[in-house]
Amino acid sequence: MTMHWLSIIGIGIAANLDNLGIGIAFGAKRTLIPFRSNLLIALLSMAATCAAMLGGHFLADFLDPDAANSIGGALIAVMGMLALISGLREASRAGRTASPSGGTLLQNPLQADRDGNQILSWSECWALGLALSLNCIASGIGAGATGLSITGVTLSIGIFSLITVGIGAGIGVRLARTWLGRYSNAIGGLLLAAIGLYEIFI
């Protein structure tokens, strides 16, 4: 039981390391993320996680429990490995070139501040929150199939979303210059892969 709670906490942290990177990006540019904007991002991630886990639980009803656990763990592990590879590639590109002015919101989150007033308003953060919530879907399906608590994982996602965006924004200037800021996505992928392997074999 204790190890399941460690998995729940680990998923909450890993799924939100993108949010840490977003917070760093805004903090480094002195762009304010008000609490209600941060809360909206967290609520959108929680909604996506809950829906994905319900889907995972539904699939698990048609499978042998051991098979469902293995499939769910494999989904989490595969997502983690893909995120690890993508994060390492992004870090490599970031080390060679400046951040692009175009791209998606996750590649250049500062585009979300459409009016350029250095405050991410509640209305401006909808698109960014939806983009970040997509990161929770695959891991949510996997967590649901393994039988982890829907309430526990959903709350973990929401709480760590609030924490990581807030911390990232607060220390953006200093953290953006360290290896942690550059490799946050890769670290999240590695953590998800480890959780997936644990759910398969333990």
Side-chain angles (χ1 to χ4, degrees):
M1 186 67 177
T2 300
M3 295 305 291
H4 278 306
W5 276 105
L6 290 177
S7 291
I8 288 170
I9 293 170
I11 288 173
I13 294 171
N16 282 300
L17 285 178
D18 268 355
N19 296 37
L20 178 65
I22 296 297
I24 289 169
F26 282 105
K29 295 296 183 182
R30 301 292 197 277
T31 298
L32 178 66
I33 304 176
F35 176 76
R36 70 172 189 165
S37 297
N38 192 3
L39 180 61
L40 177 60
I41 292 171
L43 290 174
L44 290 171
S45 293
M46 290 173 71
T49 300
C50 185
M53 289 195 69
L54 287 171
H57 271 289
F58 177 77
L59 291 175
D61 288 339
F62 297 95
L63 298 171
D64 174 78
D66 290 336
N69 193 68
S70 296
I71 292 170
L75 282 172
I76 296 173
V78 168
M79 183 189 177
M81 292 305 298
L82 292 175
L84 172 61
I85 294 168
S86 175
L88 291 174
R89 287 176 177 170
E90 288 174 8
S92 177
R93 285 196 299 268
R96 294 194 302 267
T97 62
S99 296
S101 57
T104 67
L105 277 177
L106 295 186
Q107 292 170 330
N108 187 21
L110 296 175
Q111 292 179 97
D113 182 22
R114 294 188 299 273
D115 57 15
N117 67 347
Q118 292 192 293
I119 299 175
L120 186 66
S121 68
W122 190 81
S123 61
E124 287 174 330
C125 76
W126 273 93
L128 180 60
L130 287 171
L132 287 168
S133 70
L134 294 177
N135 294 334
C136 304
I137 292 177
S139 55
I141 292 173
T146 62
L148 291 175
S149 165
I150 294 178
T151 302
V153 173
T154 300
L155 287 175
S156 179
I157 291 286
I159 291 168
F160 283 107
S161 175
L162 286 169
I163 290 172
T164 52
V165 171
I167 288 176
I171 59 175
V173 175
R174 288 168 290 176
L175 193 56
R177 295 173 181 170
T178 71
W179 65 271
L180 181 59
R182 182 180 296 180
Y183 289 98
S184 60
N185 289 349
I187 294 169
L190 185 61
L191 181 55
L192 276 180
I195 292 168
L197 293 173
Y198 162 78
E199 291 295 336
I200 293 172
F201 295 110
I202 303 300

